[in-house]
Amino acid sequence: MQAARVSIQTEDFDVSAELAALRGGDARVGAVCSFIGTVRDRNEGAAVASMELEHYPGMTEKSIEAIIDEAVQRFGIHGARVIHRIGPLQPLDQIVLVAVTASHRGMAFQACEYIMDYLKSLAPFWKKEQTPEGARWVDARVSDEEALARWRQ
C-alpha cells in the first residue's frame, strides 16, 4: 500500500520519519530533497505573535495532488510527500514539509522547488497573523507570483 502523498494536519511532523518512509527502500532513489517552512516572528516589518492557517477540506488536498502529479510528469521524480499544518501556530513551529525522491539531485532539487512554488501560490490556504496592531490576513506576495511565473516559461 502506497503511503499518502498529501497530509493536512494540526499536529507536528517528524522530518526524519517522513523522509525514511518516502525513501521506502526504493533502490532507484539517488537523491532526496526536502524543504521545511517554519513560522517566523516577523513579517512585513511587524512582529508576529502567532498565526492561524485555514484550508478548504478536500479541495486543498486535490490541488496539492495535482501539483505533485505535474512534478512527477515534468521531472520524473519517484515519490513526493507534502505535509501542511493548519490551525494555530507559534514562531519556530514547522508549517510545511515538501520532500521528493529522484534518481539524481538535479531533478530532486527542481521538483522540490516547483512543488513549493505552486503550493505557495495556488493551494487554497488562508493565513491570519496576530501582531501588536491586531489580527491581519496575509495576502499572496509578488515574489511568490514571480517564482511561479518562471515555471510557466
Side-chain angles (χ1 to χ4, degrees):
M1 184 171 113
Q2 183 180 355
R5 298 192 308 177
V6 177
S7 295
I8 309 298
Q9 60 193 47
T10 56
E11 61 274 359
D12 199 7
F13 50 86
D14 178 336
V15 175
S16 181
E18 294 296 338
L19 295 181
L22 180 62
R23 287 178 65 190
D26 187 344
R28 300 173 302 162
V29 173
V32 179
C33 186
S34 64
F35 170 83
I36 301 147
T38 59
V39 179
R40 295 183 308 269
D41 66 351
R42 301 196 67 72
N43 189 25
E44 298 179 1
V48 174
S50 66
M51 66 182 286
E52 187 163 354
L53 283 155
E54 298 178 10
H55 78 302
Y56 194 108
M59 180 186 285
T60 303
E61 293 87 344
K62 185 176 179 179
S63 172
I64 298 170
E65 286 285 353
I67 294 166
I68 293 171
D69 287 344
E70 183 62 31
V72 169
Q73 290 297 312
R74 190 170 184 154
F75 302 103
I77 58 176
H78 301 307
R81 178 80 166 117
V82 174
I83 300 173
H84 206 297
R85 294 181 65 197
I86 55 169
L89 298 167
Q90 304 299 314
L92 302 176
D93 284 350
Q94 298 182 128
I95 304 170
V96 62
L97 169 68
V98 173
V100 301
T101 58
S103 294
H104 303 283
R105 71 179 183 274
M107 294 183 301
F109 278 122
Q110 288 182 340
C112 190
E113 192 169 17
Y114 176 90
I115 292 169
M116 191 61 222
D117 286 348
Y118 270 82
L119 181 66
K120 199 66 177 146
S121 297
L122 298 180
F125 288 100
W126 296 273
K127 180 168 53 170
K128 182 169 47 173
E129 294 176 335
Q130 294 295 331
T131 71
E133 292 78 35
R136 67 179 183 188
W137 291 99
V138 178
D139 293 325
R141 291 190 174 96
V142 171
S143 60
D144 292 335
E145 292 300 321
E146 290 169 350
L148 188 62
R150 72 187 169 113
W151 298 110
R152 293 180 174 153
Q153 297 174 0

